[in-house]
Amino acid sequence: MTRPTQFFPFSRGQIVSGLFAGIAAFASFPATGLAQEKIANPIAVFSGLDKITGRITTFDVYINETVQFGALQLTPRVCYTRPDTETPKTDTFVEVDEITLDRKIRKIFSGWMFADSPGLNAVEHPVYDVWLKSCKQKSDIPAPDKS
């Protein structure tokens, strides 16, 4: 009986030590080369759907400003994008309150929204849908008074 020919010129020990050397070399890359800082933007851009009329409205909201869309009040706290050299990722932390028929304010959502996955953390309301479209640095809408 003939012995099978060895097609791979390395032993298991050499392969394992080579893998560990590759992992160590990858781990020594500077973190700034792999991922850059996110960009904080002063304006979040939302779209809202009124399910009764079927009308979609796009609106700009300054960070920490509260705007009303139907019976909902939206207050974005941060809005982040990534540099142009990275995969686009846009997210915001937003608080959404509902004004009830008896004029009470009830929090219905507080959390992160992602522009590339609008259904992931959506505002669930029987009449209105709201989702993040983007973040930006400038708006045609004047900034709110700081007083």
Side-chain angles (χ1 to χ4, degrees):
M1 180 170 205
T2 60
R3 194 166 185 219
T5 328
Q6 185 176 5
F7 293 106
F8 202 66
F10 301 104
S11 69
R12 283 189 184 148
Q14 291 172 320
I15 292 171
V16 170
S17 65
L19 284 173
F20 283 119
I23 291 170
F26 179 76
S28 68
F29 282 130
T32 56
L34 296 176
Q36 295 181 358
E37 293 295 315
K38 43 190 159 179
I39 300 167
N41 297 277
I43 301 153
V45 181
F46 292 95
S47 282
L49 168 66
D50 182 330
K51 296 177 188 176
I52 303 296
T53 64
R55 184 176 308 193
I56 296 176
T57 307
T58 299
F59 49 96
D60 295 352
V61 185
Y62 284 86
I63 300 304
N64 294 317
E65 176 189 20
T66 300
V67 298
Q68 190 159 343
F69 175 71
L72 303 181
Q73 293 181 333
L74 287 87
T75 309
R77 299 300 180 188
V78 294
C79 197
Y80 294 126
T81 54
R82 304 301 185 273
D84 292 337
T85 57
E86 289 190 29
T87 304
K89 290 183 185 174
T90 303
D91 48 28
T92 187
F93 187 87
V94 63
E95 297 169 351
V96 181
D97 299 322
E98 176 188 30
I99 301 172
T100 62
L101 293 174
D102 56 351
R103 299 196 182 268
K104 293 184 180 173
I105 296 177
R106 179 174 63 113
K107 185 171 298 300
I108 62 168
F109 181 83
S110 180
W112 290 95
M113 284 186 177
F114 306 96
D116 57 343
S117 300
L120 185 62
N121 284 347
V123 174
E124 295 185 19
H125 188 270
V127 179
Y128 304 102
D129 282 346
V130 178
W131 62 94
L132 176 68
K133 284 195 67 156
S134 64
C135 301
K136 60 185 184 179
Q137 293 290 322
K138 295 180 183 177
S139 176
D140 295 337
I141 308 296
D145 290 333
K146 303 247 179 189
S147 56

